[in-house]
Amino acid sequence: ASFYCHKTTALRRMLTSDKLEFLMEAHNGLSAKIVEEAGFCGIWASGLSMSAQLGVRDHNEASWTQVLEILEFMSDASDRPILVDADTGYGNFNNARRLVRKLEDRGIAGVCMEDKTFPKTNSLLEGVKQPLADPEEFALKIKACKEAQRDPDFSVVARVEAFIAGYGLEEALKRADQYHKAGADAILMHSKRSDHSEIEAFVTNWSNQSPVVIVPTKYYKTPTEQFRKWGISTVIWANHNLRSCITAMQNVCKTIKEEESLVNVESKVAPVKEVFRLQNEDQLLKDEEKFLPN
Amino acid sequence: ASFYCHKTTALRRMLTSDKLEFLMEAHNGLSAKIVEEAGFCGIWASGLSMSAQLGVRDHNEASWTQVLEILEFMSDASDRPILVDADTGYGNFNNARRLVRKLEDRGIAGVCMEDKTFPKTNSLLEGVKQPLADPEEFALKIKACKEAQRDPDFSVVARVEAFIAGYGLEEALKRADQYHKAGADAILMHSKRSDHSEIEAFVTNWSNQSPVVIVPTKYYKTPTEQFRKWGISTVIWANHNLRSCITAMQNVCKTIKEEESLVNVESKVAPVKEVFRLQNEDQLLKDEEKFLPN
Amino acid sequence: ASFYCHKTTALRRMLTSDKLEFLMEAHNGLSAKIVEEAGFCGIWASGLSMSAQLGVRDHNEASWTQVLEILEFMSDASDRPILVDADTGYGNFNNARRLVRKLEDRGIAGVCMEDKTFPKTNSLLEGVKQPLADPEEFALKIKACKEAQRDPDFSVVARVEAFIAGYGLEEALKRADQYHKAGADAILMHSKRSDHSEIEAFVTNWSNQSPVVIVPTKYYKTPTEQFRKWGISTVIWANHNLRSCITAMQNVCKTIKEEESLVNVESKVAPVKEVFRLQNEDQLLKDEEKFLPN
Amino acid sequence: ASFYCHKTTALRRMLTSDKLEFLMEAHNGLSAKIVEEAGFCGIWASGLSMSAQLGVRDHNEASWTQVLEILEFMSDASDRPILVDADTGYGNFNNARRLVRKLEDRGIAGVCMEDKTFPKTNSLLEGVKQPLADPEEFALKIKACKEAQRDPDFSVVARVEAFIAGYGLEEALKRADQYHKAGADAILMHSKRSDHSEIEAFVTNWSNQSPVVIVPTKYYKTPTEQFRKWGISTVIWANHNLRSCITAMQNVCKTIKEEESLVNVESKVAPVKEVFRLQNEDQLLKDEEKFLPN
Ligand SMILES: [Mg+2]
Ligand SMILES: [Mg+2]
Ligand SMILES: [Mg+2]
Ligand SMILES: [Mg+2]
C-alpha cells in the first residue's frame, strides 16, 4: 500500500490546515472502507476498538505485530490516510522507532504515541492508576521516531496524558512543550472530563504553537463550533463505529435467538450483495475474464 | 484455549442430538462473545464474514494462518464451541489435515470443508463458475482430516456444493454418501435457491444417514418448524452479525459526518463502559490488586 | 525496507547486464546478512531452505504470510536485492498478484514463480509426480503480476518446470516463449540432471530472447565459464547455506552430547561477540546514549 | 502439538531428577529436530539465537507473537520438551501469564523468565546497563504465571540476573528465595564471569531448596563433573547451534564467492536428500499414495 501514494501528505495537510478536520474511528478493513465511503478525509485506528474487536483488553494484550496486521488490512482497504493509535509505542524508543518503519512500509500516514508506561491502561478506565512516562524519556522517544521515518511527510503525534493522570494545566503545558520541541508534528491533549474545561485551559494557553488534536468522547456536548473558535486542528471521533457494532450485534443476536428465524432480521441488515460490493467482487469478476483461460 | 475444555464434545453433541440446534455467525473475538452472551450454544466462524471484516474477498485472499489467528482470538473470547468455515481446507489433503491439528491446538471444536477447488469462490456469488473438486479426492481429504485429529470428539463436516454448482439431486446424494463413508461427522448441504426445494429433496432422500447441517441464508422464509420436521441437525445463521455491523456503521458514519457532532449518536451506541465490560476489565482490575506490588 | 531504496533497480540490472551474475541462497535474516558480507550482489530466498529451517516440507505447508514474514526480516537485515522463490504464487493469478504487492511493500526486489500446481512439490524430489500448470493459465498469471506491480523495476521471473516434469526441449521452449511474451523479466530454466545437457539444449535454441537464470544444484560440475559462454544471465547457488548449517549443527550437537562439555566446541564456533556484531549491537549502544535519559 | 503429549511431564522430570540433565539450544524447527536426533532429552529455545536468526537484536525487537510462531514450528518438529527463554515475559504479569497459556496451547513444556525490565538487554553484552526488576513485582509475575497454567506439569523457571547486574551473593540469594516461594519450579542463576565463582557461591548457600539451572557459556572450562558434585539440576548449552551456523555459512559463502563454483562445497555440506530426510518427505510420499486418487 505504500507505493506512489501520498497518504502521508494528506494527513500532514489535515494536521496543518486552517480548517477543523475530522478523523473517524475504524478497527478493521471493513470499517476503514465504510469510513471512506461516508466521506471522511482520514481514519483513526483506535487502540481501544482494535483490542475490543479482537476480544482482548486495551492493555497491550495483543502484540504489536498483531495490531500491525490489522493496520495493513485497513490500509489496503482504504485510500484515506490513517493515523494509528499506537499506545506508548510498545516499549522504549527502539521499539517505537522500529514500529514507525513498519507503519511506513504498510502505507500508514502517521502514528500517535502517549506518554504512559508499557503496558498501557485505557485512559477512560475509572479506578485505576495511570502511570505517566518520564517526560524527558518520552520526548526522546518522539525524537527517535522522527529520525527513524524515511518519508518526510509521515506524522508523529504526541499524546499528553497529564490531565488523565490527574495532573493540572502546568504539567500538561510543560509536557506539550517538551514533545513539541522534540519534533512532534501535533499535540493530542486528552481529557476525560465531561466538560471541556481542561481542553479550554490548554488551548488558550498553548496558543497554537503546534497543531492540537482532541478526542471529545466524554465532552461530546461541546459544540464543534467551539473547537473551531479555539483553532483546534483535528477532532477524533474515537470509537463510535465499534460501539455501533456492539449494539447492532446484540440486537440481531437477541432477535434471532428468540425468534429462531431470520424473517424479521433480513430487512434490517445489509444484504449479502452489499457485503460483496464492499469486498469489491465486481473488480475480481472482470479480472477473472482477463486473467483466467476460457 | 485447548486445555481441559470440552468444546469438541459440546459441538459433537449438538451435531448428533435429536434436537434442532443453532450456530450463530461470528467473525472476531467481540462477536464471538456477543453470540455467547445471547445464549447461543455454538458459533459459526464464517469465511465470508471473516474475509469481509478484514476487507478482502472471500476467495482465499487472506492466508490460512491469518484466518487461524482470528479463530484463536474467537476461541479465547468465548466458551462456546466453534465450527470453522475452512473453505476447501486451503489446498490438498496435506494442507487440510495440517489445519486440523492447528485448530485443535487453539481449542476449535470442528471444521467444515467444501468440495470446491482452491482458491474458492463464495457460493452465493452470481455469474461466476463454481468449479467442484473431484469427489474421490475430496472424500480422501475428509479421511485424512479424520485420521489427523487427536481429540476423538473433534468434528469434520463435509459441505456439498453440488446444488451451488448447478448439479441435481443425484450428484448431491452421491457426494454426500461418499463423504459420509469417508468419515465426515455431518453433511452440510448448501443451496442458494430462495425456496427450500433442493434441501427438501435432499433430506427426504438422505434419510438421516448422518447429521445434516443447513444454511438458510437464501431460503430464510421457510419456517424453522419445517427444518425440525425434516430432522435437520443444525441450522447456521451464517452472516447476520457482520451484516448488522455494516448497516450500523454506515448509519453512524453518516450521522457524524453530516452533523459534525456525537450528540445524536451517543445514546444509540453502546456506552464505553459496555466496551470495557465485554473486554472483562473488571477481572484485570482485581488481578492487578493481587499481582502488582502496592 | 521499501522506502527510497533501489533494490528493485539493482536486481533488474543484474538480470539484464552482460556479465554473469550470482545469487546466493539465504533463509532468514542472519543468512541474508552473511551473504551480503561475503560480497554477493544479490540473494535467493529459497523455498526449500525456508521451509526446511521452519521444520516443514517444501509443499506449501507454511502459509504464504509466514513466508512473507521471513522475507521481511531478510529484507530488513540486508541492503542487497532479494529474489524470492515463491513456488507457484500460492494459488491462482489473484493470489499471485496480491503477493507481488506485499513483496513490494517489504522491499523485495523480485519474485520467481514456477509453472506447477498448488500445493507444489520440490523439483529435486525423486519418485513423485510433478504436475505442470496449464501454460496459458500460467502466462496469464505472469501478466497479472506484471500489471499488479507499482515499481516498474520490480522483476517477475518465470520458472519453467518442463524438464523437471519429464518433458523435452520443445515443451520447454514453448513455455519459455509464452511466459516471455506475457511479460516475464527473465526465464528460469530448471533441470535436475547431473549433466548440463537440458540446459545447453535450451540456451542454444533460446538465443537469449530474454535473460536466462539457472540453478546448477545437480549439474554443479559444469564449469562456470561454460555458463558465461552461453550468455546465461544469472546463476543461483540455491541451498548451500542451509545445507552447511545442517552439517555444522549435527557436528556440534554430536560433540557436546558425547563430551558433555563445550571445551572442544568453543573455538570452532563463532564467538558470542560475533553474534552481537551481526546483530548490530554497537549501533544500539550509541543510540541509547542519544535517546535514553542519563 | 499439545494433545496427548507429555512434554510438560518430561521437562518437569528433568528439572526434579537427581541426575544432571542437559538442554541443547535450538532456534527454529530444523535445529530442534537436529537436537532431538543427537540424543538430547530437551531443548532450550534461546532468545539470543532466535533473535539472531531473525536478524534482529536480543532487545525484544521481534514481537512476542513472532517468537511464538517460531516456537510452534519447533514444537511441531520435535518430540522433545522445550524450555523457552521468554526474556522478561514481554511486559507485566498480565502479558507474562497470557504468554503461558499460548505456550501451553503450542505444546511447549516450560518457560523461563528473567528479573529484568522490558525491553530486555542480553546478559552477556558488555558496557550496558542491566536494570533489574523490582523483586516483589517479579515474584508476583511468577505467581501469576503459575496460577495461569492449566497443565500442572508446565514449568516456570525464574532466572536471577543479580550477578549479571553487578550485585553480590546476598541479592542473588534473596531473589532466588523470593521467586522460589512465589512458586518457581526452578531457579536459573546466571553469571557472565569466565570462572564459576559466583555459581559456586550461590549453589553452596542455596542448598538445593529448589532445582538449579545454569548456563555455562562463559565459565565453560569448569568440568561438568563439578556441576554434578554441586547437585545442579540442569545445564543449558545456550547458543552453540546458532554459533556453528554462523561459522559454517561464513565459510561456505566465502568459498562459493571466491571460486564461483560448488565443486569444493558439495562434499562439505549435507546432501539435498538429507534435507528431505529431515523434512520427513518419506512420510508424505506414503500419505500421498493413501490420500490422493490414482
Ligand atoms: Mg487508545
Ligand atoms: Mg464460507
Ligand atoms: Mg523452491
Ligand atoms: Mg536470552
Side-chain angles (χ1 to χ4, degrees):
Chain A
S2 67
F3 275 80
Y4 311 134
C5 77
H6 298 287
K7 291 179 175 179
T8 51
T9 311
L11 177 64
R12 183 64 67 80
R13 281 184 190 149
M14 291 178 73
L15 291 174
T16 56
S17 80
D18 288 336
K19 269 180 54 193
L20 181 66
E21 307 274 2
F22 303 94
L23 297 175
M24 178 71 195
E25 170 257 324
H27 52 272
N28 55 20
L30 175 66
S31 48
K33 176 133 193 193
I34 288 173
V35 167
E36 172 176 340
E37 291 190 344
F40 287 98
C41 297
I43 295 170
W44 170 248
S46 156
L48 174 63
S49 295
M50 290 189 289
S51 61
Q53 71 102 329
L54 292 173
V56 294
R57 300 186 191 95
D58 192 15
H59 294 255
N60 300 120
E61 291 189 344
S63 80
W64 70 268
T65 48
Q66 291 177 318
V67 173
L68 189 67
E69 192 156 285
I70 297 176
L71 296 171
E72 184 165 9
F73 280 108
M74 290 172 63
S75 180
D76 286 349
S78 169
D79 291 330
R80 292 294 160 265
I82 299 175
L83 177 63
V84 170
D85 172 10
D87 300 343
T88 62
Y90 311 110
N92 71 4
F93 80 92
N94 189 45
N95 304 96
R97 68 179 180 176
R98 184 168 160 77
L99 174 70
V100 165
R101 297 229 166 162
K102 294 300 162 203
L103 293 176
E104 285 187 304
D105 282 345
R106 280 144 183 89
I108 298 295
V111 70
C112 177
M113 294 185 193
E114 61 200 55
D115 56 350
K116 290 213 285 232
T117 55
F118 179 88
K120 60 98 36 134
T121 298
N122 185 281
S123 304
L124 304 183
L125 257 189
E126 300 295 338
V128 295
K129 284 174 243 168
Q130 297 278 5
L132 294 192
D134 170 60
E136 186 189 350
E137 183 184 355
F138 188 75
L140 289 167
K141 182 186 281 189
I142 296 292
K143 189 166 184 255
C145 288
K146 290 305 293 179
E147 290 197 13
Q149 75 185 57
R150 292 149 299 181
D151 179 339
D153 283 351
F154 185 86
S155 295
V156 178
V157 177
R159 170 166 154 178
V160 179
E161 293 278 296
F163 290 139
I164 297 294
Y167 292 89
L169 176 62
E170 194 178 2
E171 183 72 17
L173 283 166
K174 194 196 80 172
R175 286 176 174 253
D177 184 60
Q178 276 181 282
Y179 309 157
H180 170 55
K181 286 184 175 136
D185 297 293
I187 297 296
L188 189 159
M189 185 56 59
H190 207 9
S191 169
K192 61 179 172 185
R193 289 186 63 92
S194 57
D195 64 69
H196 56 245
S197 53
E198 289 173 340
I199 296 301
E200 180 169 28
F202 173 74
V203 295
T204 52
N205 280 275
W206 180 247
S207 310
N208 279 326
Q209 294 173 60
S210 76
V212 173
V213 180
I214 60 171
V215 189
T217 304
K218 289 293 187 182
Y219 51 96
Y220 65 89
K221 287 178 186 155
T222 299
T224 294
E225 205 44 46
Q226 184 64 62
F227 303 149
R228 280 202 178 85
K229 283 185 190 147
W230 288 332
I232 297 290
S233 158
T234 304
V235 165
I236 294 174
W237 311 119
N239 41 50
H240 300 79
N241 269 323
L242 188 277
R243 289 160 62 190
S244 79
C245 287
I246 291 174
T247 301
M249 293 195 288
Q250 287 175 333
N251 287 340
V252 81
C253 280
K254 187 167 184 288
T255 302
I256 296 178
K257 184 68 177 70
E258 285 176 4
E259 306 188 357
E260 293 188 349
S261 168
L262 302 171
V263 168
N264 291 321
V265 162
E266 185 67 22
S267 66
K268 289 180 190 141
V269 300
V272 171
K273 70 174 173 10
E274 173 69 357
V275 183
F276 292 152
R277 188 194 65 77
L278 284 160
Q279 291 175 300
N280 208 6
E281 281 285 356
D282 273 3
Q283 186 60 51
L284 184 60
L285 291 186
K286 278 180 218 153
D287 293 348
E288 285 182 346
E289 282 182 38
K290 188 172 173 187
F291 295 121
L292 286 183
N294 297 318
Chain B
S2 67
F3 276 80
Y4 312 133
C5 76
H6 299 287
K7 291 179 175 179
T8 53
T9 311
L11 178 63
R12 183 63 67 80
R13 281 185 191 150
M14 291 178 73
L15 291 173
T16 56
S17 80
D18 289 336
K19 270 179 54 193
L20 181 66
E21 307 274 2
F22 303 94
L23 297 174
M24 178 72 197
E25 169 256 324
H27 52 272
N28 55 20
L30 175 66
S31 48
K33 175 132 194 195
I34 287 173
V35 167
E36 173 177 340
E37 291 190 344
F40 287 98
C41 296
I43 295 169
W44 170 249
S46 156
L48 174 62
S49 295
M50 290 189 288
S51 61
Q53 69 102 330
L54 291 173
V56 294
R57 299 187 191 95
D58 193 15
H59 294 256
N60 300 120
E61 291 189 345
S63 80
W64 69 269
T65 49
Q66 290 178 319
V67 173
L68 190 67
E69 191 156 287
I70 296 177
L71 296 171
E72 184 166 10
F73 280 108
M74 290 173 62
S75 180
D76 286 349
S78 168
D79 292 330
R80 292 294 160 265
I82 300 174
L83 177 63
V84 170
D85 172 8
D87 301 342
T88 63
Y90 311 110
N92 72 3
F93 80 92
N94 189 45
N95 304 97
R97 69 179 179 176
R98 184 169 160 76
L99 174 71
V100 165
R101 299 232 165 161
K102 294 298 162 204
L103 293 176
E104 286 187 303
D105 283 344
R106 280 145 182 88
I108 298 296
V111 70
C112 177
M113 294 185 194
E114 62 200 56
D115 56 350
K116 291 214 285 234
T117 55
F118 179 88
K120 60 99 34 134
T121 299
N122 185 281
S123 304
L124 304 183
L125 258 188
E126 300 295 338
V128 295
K129 285 174 244 169
Q130 297 278 2
L132 293 193
D134 170 60
E136 185 188 352
E137 183 184 355
F138 189 74
L140 289 167
K141 183 187 280 189
I142 296 292
K143 189 166 185 255
C145 288
K146 289 305 295 177
E147 290 197 14
Q149 75 184 57
R150 293 151 297 181
D151 179 338
D153 283 351
F154 185 86
S155 294
V156 178
V157 177
R159 170 167 155 177
V160 179
E161 293 277 297
F163 290 139
I164 298 294
Y167 292 89
L169 176 63
E170 194 178 1
E171 183 73 16
L173 282 166
K174 193 197 80 174
R175 287 177 174 252
D177 185 60
Q178 276 181 281
Y179 309 158
H180 171 54
K181 285 182 176 137
D185 297 292
I187 298 295
L188 189 159
M189 184 57 59
H190 206 11
S191 170
K192 61 179 173 184
R193 289 185 63 92
S194 58
D195 64 69
H196 57 245
S197 53
E198 289 174 340
I199 296 300
E200 180 168 27
F202 174 73
V203 294
T204 52
N205 279 274
W206 180 247
S207 311
N208 278 327
Q209 295 172 58
S210 75
V212 173
V213 180
I214 60 171
V215 189
T217 304
K218 289 291 188 184
Y219 50 97
Y220 65 89
K221 287 179 186 155
T222 300
T224 294
E225 204 44 45
Q226 185 63 63
F227 303 149
R228 279 202 179 85
K229 283 184 191 145
W230 289 332
I232 297 290
S233 159
T234 303
V235 166
I236 294 174
W237 311 119
N239 40 50
H240 301 79
N241 269 323
L242 188 275
R243 288 160 62 192
S244 78
C245 288
I246 290 173
T247 302
M249 292 194 289
Q250 288 175 332
N251 287 340
V252 81
C253 280
K254 187 167 184 288
T255 302
I256 296 178
K257 184 68 177 70
E258 286 176 2
E259 306 189 357
E260 293 189 347
S261 168
L262 303 172
V263 168
N264 290 321
V265 163
E266 184 67 22
S267 66
K268 290 180 190 141
V269 301
V272 171
K273 71 175 171 11
E274 174 68 357
V275 183
F276 292 152
R277 187 194 67 77
L278 284 159
Q279 291 176 299
N280 209 5
E281 281 285 356
D282 274 3
Q283 186 59 51
L284 184 59
L285 291 186
K286 278 181 218 153
D287 292 348
E288 285 182 346
E289 282 181 36
K290 190 172 171 186
F291 295 122
L292 286 182
N294 297 318
Chain C
S2 66
F3 276 79
Y4 312 133
C5 75
H6 300 288
K7 291 178 176 181
T8 52
T9 310
L11 177 63
R12 183 64 66 81
R13 282 185 190 148
M14 289 178 74
L15 291 173
T16 56
S17 80
D18 289 336
K19 270 179 54 193
L20 181 66
E21 306 275 2
F22 303 95
L23 297 175
M24 177 72 196
E25 170 257 324
H27 52 273
N28 56 19
L30 176 66
S31 49
K33 176 133 194 195
I34 287 173
V35 167
E36 173 176 339
E37 291 190 345
F40 286 98
C41 296
I43 295 169
W44 170 249
S46 156
L48 174 62
S49 295
M50 289 189 289
S51 61
Q53 69 102 329
L54 292 173
V56 294
R57 299 185 191 96
D58 192 14
H59 295 254
N60 300 120
E61 291 189 345
S63 80
W64 68 269
T65 49
Q66 290 178 320
V67 173
L68 190 66
E69 191 156 288
I70 296 176
L71 296 172
E72 184 166 8
F73 280 108
M74 289 173 62
S75 180
D76 286 349
S78 168
D79 291 331
R80 292 293 160 266
I82 299 175
L83 177 63
V84 170
D85 173 9
D87 301 343
T88 63
Y90 312 110
N92 71 3
F93 80 92
N94 189 43
N95 303 96
R97 70 179 179 176
R98 184 167 159 77
L99 174 71
V100 164
R101 297 231 166 161
K102 294 298 162 204
L103 292 176
E104 285 187 303
D105 283 344
R106 280 145 183 88
I108 298 297
V111 70
C112 177
M113 294 185 194
E114 61 200 56
D115 56 351
K116 290 213 286 230
T117 56
F118 179 88
K120 59 99 35 133
T121 299
N122 185 280
S123 304
L124 304 183
L125 257 188
E126 300 295 339
V128 295
K129 284 174 246 170
Q130 297 278 1
L132 294 193
D134 169 61
E136 186 189 351
E137 184 184 354
F138 189 75
L140 288 168
K141 183 187 280 188
I142 295 292
K143 189 166 184 255
C145 289
K146 289 305 294 178
E147 290 198 14
Q149 75 184 56
R150 294 150 297 182
D151 180 339
D153 283 351
F154 185 86
S155 294
V156 178
V157 177
R159 170 166 154 178
V160 179
E161 293 278 297
F163 291 139
I164 298 293
Y167 292 88
L169 176 62
E170 196 178 0
E171 182 72 18
L173 283 166
K174 192 196 80 171
R175 286 176 174 253
D177 185 59
Q178 277 180 280
Y179 309 158
H180 170 54
K181 286 182 175 136
D185 296 293
I187 297 296
L188 189 160
M189 184 56 60
H190 206 10
S191 169
K192 60 180 173 185
R193 289 185 63 93
S194 58
D195 64 70
H196 57 247
S197 54
E198 289 174 339
I199 296 300
E200 181 168 27
F202 174 73
V203 295
T204 52
N205 280 275
W206 180 247
S207 310
N208 278 327
Q209 294 173 60
S210 74
V212 174
V213 180
I214 60 171
V215 189
T217 304
K218 289 291 187 183
Y219 50 96
Y220 65 88
K221 287 179 186 155
T222 299
T224 294
E225 204 44 45
Q226 185 63 65
F227 302 149
R228 280 203 178 84
K229 284 184 190 146
W230 288 333
I232 296 291
S233 158
T234 304
V235 165
I236 294 174
W237 311 119
N239 41 50
H240 301 79
N241 269 323
L242 189 275
R243 288 159 63 191
S244 79
C245 287
I246 290 174
T247 302
M249 292 195 288
Q250 287 175 332
N251 287 340
V252 81
C253 280
K254 187 167 184 287
T255 302
I256 295 177
K257 184 69 178 68
E258 285 176 2
E259 305 189 357
E260 294 188 348
S261 168
L262 302 171
V263 168
N264 290 322
V265 162
E266 184 66 22
S267 65
K268 289 179 191 142
V269 300
V272 171
K273 71 176 171 10
E274 174 69 357
V275 183
F276 291 151
R277 186 193 68 76
L278 284 159
Q279 291 175 300
N280 209 7
E281 281 286 356
D282 273 4
Q283 186 59 51
L284 184 60
L285 290 186
K286 278 181 218 154
D287 292 348
E288 285 182 346
E289 282 181 36
K290 189 171 171 186
F291 295 120
L292 286 183
N294 297 319
Chain D
S2 68
F3 275 80
Y4 311 134
C5 77
H6 298 288
K7 291 179 175 179
T8 51
T9 311
L11 177 63
R12 183 64 66 81
R13 281 185 190 147
M14 290 178 74
L15 291 173
T16 56
S17 80
D18 288 336
K19 269 180 54 193
L20 182 66
E21 307 274 2
F22 303 95
L23 297 175
M24 179 71 195
E25 170 257 325
H27 52 274
N28 55 20
L30 175 67
S31 48
K33 176 133 193 194
I34 287 174
V35 167
E36 173 176 339
E37 290 190 345
F40 286 99
C41 297
I43 294 169
W44 170 248
S46 157
L48 174 63
S49 296
M50 289 189 288
S51 61
Q53 71 101 329
L54 292 173
V56 295
R57 299 185 191 97
D58 193 14
H59 294 255
N60 300 120
E61 291 189 345
S63 80
W64 69 269
T65 49
Q66 290 178 319
V67 173
L68 190 67
E69 192 156 286
I70 296 176
L71 296 172
E72 185 165 9
F73 280 108
M74 290 173 62
S75 181
D76 286 349
S78 168
D79 292 330
R80 292 294 160 267
I82 299 175
L83 177 62
V84 170
D85 173 9
D87 301 342
T88 62
Y90 311 110
N92 72 3
F93 80 92
N94 190 44
N95 303 96
R97 69 180 179 175
R98 186 168 159 76
L99 174 70
V100 164
R101 297 231 166 161
K102 294 298 162 204
L103 293 176
E104 285 187 303
D105 282 345
R106 280 144 183 90
I108 299 296
V111 69
C112 177
M113 294 185 194
E114 61 200 57
D115 56 350
K116 290 213 284 233
T117 54
F118 179 88
K120 60 99 34 135
T121 299
N122 185 281
S123 303
L124 304 183
L125 257 188
E126 299 296 338
V128 295
K129 284 175 245 171
Q130 296 279 3
L132 294 192
D134 170 60
E136 186 189 351
E137 184 184 355
F138 188 75
L140 288 167
K141 182 186 280 188
I142 296 292
K143 189 165 185 254
C145 288
K146 290 305 293 178
E147 290 197 14
Q149 75 184 58
R150 292 149 299 181
D151 179 338
D153 283 351
F154 185 86
S155 294
V156 178
V157 177
R159 170 165 154 179
V160 179
E161 293 277 297
F163 290 139
I164 297 293
Y167 292 89
L169 176 62
E170 195 178 0
E171 183 72 16
L173 282 165
K174 193 196 80 172
R175 286 175 174 255
D177 184 59
Q178 277 181 280
Y179 308 158
H180 170 55
K181 285 182 176 137
D185 296 294
I187 298 296
L188 189 160
M189 184 56 59
H190 206 10
S191 170
K192 61 179 172 185
R193 288 187 62 94
S194 58
D195 64 70
H196 57 245
S197 53
E198 288 174 340
I199 296 301
E200 180 169 29
F202 174 74
V203 294
T204 51
N205 279 275
W206 180 247
S207 310
N208 278 326
Q209 294 173 60
S210 77
V212 173
V213 181
I214 60 171
V215 188
T217 304
K218 289 291 187 182
Y219 51 96
Y220 66 88
K221 287 179 185 154
T222 299
T224 294
E225 205 43 46
Q226 185 63 63
F227 303 148
R228 281 202 177 84
K229 283 184 190 146
W230 289 332
I232 296 291
S233 158
T234 303
V235 166
I236 294 174
W237 312 119
N239 41 49
H240 301 79
N241 269 324
L242 188 276
R243 289 160 62 192
S244 79
C245 287
I246 290 174
T247 301
M249 292 195 288
Q250 287 175 332
N251 288 340
V252 82
C253 280
K254 187 167 184 287
T255 302
I256 296 177
K257 184 68 177 68
E258 285 176 2
E259 306 189 356
E260 293 188 349
S261 168
L262 302 171
V263 168
N264 290 320
V265 162
E266 184 66 22
S267 65
K268 289 180 190 141
V269 301
V272 171
K273 70 174 171 12
E274 173 68 357
V275 183
F276 292 153
R277 187 193 65 77
L278 284 160
Q279 291 176 299
N280 208 8
E281 282 285 356
D282 274 3
Q283 186 59 53
L284 184 59
L285 291 186
K286 279 180 218 153
D287 293 348
E288 285 182 346
E289 282 182 37
K290 188 172 172 187
F291 295 120
L292 287 183
N294 297 318

